[in-house]
Amino acid sequence: MSYVVQQAVQARLVASAPRMETVPTTLRYDREDPFAVSVDFPPQATLEGVEVSWAFARELLAAGVSAPAGAGDVRIRPYGYDRTVLEFHAREGVAMVHMHTSELRIFLERTEALVPSGDEQSFLDVDGGVAELLRDTC
């Protein structure tokens, strides 16, 4: 059984120009980090020309497809009938992307099948994490 959910989606980059560029993007969820999801952007979607990954709370994504959510580096909100806007705030500026809400909901359903909301703590390897921290400090 796989413990990782990956889903390819199309993201539309919102820019100051009237045209929005569509880029292939990957949503990822790993049972070993049960509270987080990530969005991976390919090099052609970034200013630096390197792949960029943003990780944030799965709970934030679940809330943001229905109502505005987030107050920090990642903010998510519905946009119209079938889109969701993800905003990524960094020192360099703000990146905004539109994704189909239905694709985000499918992804969230797949993560729920792997780790139900509220059960995340039972999938954490606390002993392994403490052992790794102690190994790094010795």
Side-chain angles (χ1 to χ4, degrees):
M1 177 179 186
S2 176
Y3 299 122
V4 176
V5 173
Q6 284 194 168
Q7 182 173 318
V9 297
Q10 292 295 314
R12 297 185 79 193
L13 298 175
V14 179
S16 56
R19 183 175 74 81
M20 288 195 289
E21 181 181 347
T22 301
V23 295
T25 307
T26 303
L27 298 170
R28 191 166 30 90
Y29 178 78
D30 187 338
R31 189 171 88 168
E32 290 187 13
D33 190 3
F35 289 101
V37 297
S38 65
V39 180
D40 302 330
F41 295 95
Q44 68 265 27
T46 67
L47 295 174
E48 298 83 19
V50 296
E51 185 173 305
V52 172
S53 182
W54 280 81
F56 51 94
R58 175 174 68 162
E59 183 178 58
L60 176 64
L61 181 60
V65 297
S66 300
D73 293 341
V74 179
R75 301 170 191 177
I76 304 171
R77 70 180 182 281
Y79 182 79
Y81 173 72
D82 65 343
R83 299 223 182 246
T84 299
V85 175
L86 287 79
E87 290 183 20
F88 302 99
H89 295 252
R91 287 184 311 245
E92 300 81 12
V94 177
M96 291 176 58
V97 297
H98 288 192
M99 292 186 183
H100 286 285
T101 303
S102 60
E103 290 181 331
L104 295 174
R105 290 186 192 280
I106 290 168
F107 174 73
L108 287 166
E109 287 172 10
R110 294 177 64 208
T111 69
E112 283 286 325
L114 192 60
V115 177
S117 291
D119 287 346
E120 293 93 348
Q121 70 282 349
S122 44
F123 291 91
L124 289 175
D125 181 11
V126 175
D127 293 335
V130 169
E132 189 172 327
L133 284 172
L134 292 174
R135 181 175 52 244
D136 289 346
T137 60
C138 295

